[in-house]
Amino acid sequence: MDLWQLIANDHANIADLCGEIPRAFPDGGVRSRERLFRDLDTELRRHFEAEEESLYDALEDHDRAEHLVDELEHEHEEIERRLGELARVRDKGTQDWTQRFRDLAALIEGHFHREEHELLPLAREILDEEEFRELRHEYVEENIEALRARQGGWDVPSSGLLLGALVGAAAGALAFAAWRGGALRGLTDRTPTQLLLSRAPVLGRLGGLMSRTGRRRRQYGAEVLKDVAQRTRTSVQDVSSRLRLPIGTTYAVVADLERKGLVRSTRHQGPVRERIVAITTRGREQAQR
């Protein structure tokens, strides 16, 4: 799994969390709004740290990328500032808190889209294959360091030992998704961070989950493409609703299709900020096969 897929998987899982939080019960239980928000805070900060210390650091000295990287780093700061403000509110069940969270989720979605559609394509033009491989290694290492720091200096195996497992299992993002989705139920009751850092025998099952995730992503791609082909244009949220797919998965599939030139997407500029997707000529031909 390459760096772009690792980042896209992080984005998809974080987007799923953003979609779950407004629907969660404000208090109590493993899937309470408070618990899910803490998970989101942890995952976002881990993801940001890993990006900044690997991809951002590699690009910030290039003239073509310097301004964009600076803007994206400022967006990280703004997102973290808003996370802190929302975390300090004791009652997370109010309409005001929910609306402020939805505004934050829209900011996160826009930030991820800029990374996937502006930063990553630019990085492909600037960096060579050897640099890509090194960045993948650094991204995984920074994930490990971020997790270690947040767990108070656990005795984490060296990144060399974990690199293959992390990449093969979509790094922390996949472990997190597996834990939340119950795919590891019966193996352990520990948190996703503990799963990732422990030596528990979960890697085989994670590898199988990765394989199934890839097959499902390809299947979803065909379904999303056919759905979009039936309309002049549509929002990603509507595609998600019609096909009953998680919103984060839908965004990830649309991003894959756009990278292949099968669809194109734009941000709606009206009062409701959403991503609008339309079929391309190549995509329509693919959908008709």
Side-chain angles (χ1 to χ4, degrees):
M1 178 167 290
D2 64 22
L3 175 65
W4 323 123
Q5 291 170 306
L6 290 173
I7 291 175
N9 275 342
D10 266 356
H11 288 178
N13 286 314
I14 290 169
D16 277 345
L17 260 182
C18 287
E20 286 184 40
I21 288 171
R23 299 193 298 268
F25 291 109
D27 300 304
V30 173
R31 300 180 69 78
S32 70
R33 184 174 289 190
E34 179 73 40
R35 173 67 179 271
L36 291 174
F37 183 78
R38 288 200 304 269
D39 289 343
L40 174 66
D41 186 283
T42 298
E43 290 302 301
L44 268 173
R45 294 179 190 277
R46 172 193 59 76
H47 175 68
F48 287 170
E49 288 175 20
E51 280 185 329
E52 290 175 5
E53 296 300 324
S54 57
L55 183 60
Y56 283 23
D57 189 56
L59 292 174
E60 64 183 0
D61 292 331
H62 291 269
D63 291 340
R64 294 173 59 194
E66 181 180 6
H67 181 67
L68 177 58
V69 169
D70 186 57
E71 288 184 345
L72 293 174
E73 286 181 332
H74 282 302
E75 289 183 8
H76 281 187
E77 293 172 1
E78 176 63 15
I79 289 169
E80 290 181 342
R81 183 187 68 80
R82 295 196 193 187
L83 277 171
E85 290 179 348
L86 290 172
R88 288 190 290 272
V89 177
R90 297 187 64 181
D91 185 358
K92 294 179 173 56
T94 65
Q95 289 186 349
D96 177 69
W97 191 94
T98 302
Q99 184 56 54
R100 289 169 64 190
F101 177 79
R102 291 186 188 278
D103 291 341
L104 172 61
L107 178 61
I108 292 169
E109 185 264 315
H111 174 77
F112 286 172
H113 189 270
R114 292 194 71 190
E115 287 185 332
E116 293 184 11
H117 295 267
E118 297 178 41
L119 186 68
L120 294 182
L122 183 58
R124 288 191 181 97
E125 296 177 12
I126 293 174
L127 305 174
D128 59 32
E129 289 299 322
E130 180 60 33
E131 289 173 308
F132 288 156
R133 286 191 291 270
E134 180 63 26
L135 282 177
R136 182 184 67 174
H137 181 85
E138 290 179 7
Y139 184 80
V140 173
E141 274 203 338
E142 291 301 331
N143 269 288
I144 295 169
E145 289 301 320
L147 291 169
R148 178 191 285 126
R150 295 188 185 285
Q151 291 300 316
W154 281 23
D155 181 19
V156 183
S158 69
S159 62
L161 293 175
L162 279 178
L163 179 59
L166 286 169
V167 173
L174 184 57
F176 180 71
W179 174 77
R180 280 176 45 231
L184 302 179
R185 190 175 293 117
L187 279 179
T188 177
D189 294 326
R190 283 175 287 182
T191 67
T193 296
Q194 290 169 325
L195 282 172
L196 184 62
L197 299 183
S198 74
R199 300 175 186 267
V202 300
L203 296 180
R205 189 172 294 189
L206 282 173
L209 179 63
M210 184 63 234
S211 176
R212 293 193 296 275
T213 299
R215 289 195 296 271
R216 285 198 298 268
R217 182 71 62 83
R218 289 190 292 273
Q219 175 188 348
Y220 295 155
E223 294 175 1
V224 169
L225 191 64
K226 289 179 180 178
D227 182 87
V228 174
Q230 296 174 21
R231 296 160 178 84
T232 303
R233 64 176 194 161
T234 184
S235 72
V236 175
Q237 288 88 342
D238 286 344
V239 174
S240 172
S241 177
R242 285 192 296 267
L243 298 180
R244 297 184 179 180
L245 295 177
I247 186 64
T249 299
T250 310
Y251 273 115
V253 170
V254 167
D256 285 343
L257 294 175
E258 189 162 16
R259 281 192 291 270
K260 296 174 182 176
L262 302 178
V263 302
R264 61 180 180 276
S265 69
T266 57
R267 176 179 292 283
H268 180 58
Q269 298 300 322
V272 179
R273 291 174 288 183
E274 57 184 359
R275 179 64 50 186
I276 303 299
V277 61
I279 198 77
T280 64
T281 301
R282 181 181 172 189
R284 192 173 299 281
E285 293 172 353
Q286 179 77 17
Q288 292 173 349
R289 292 177 184 173

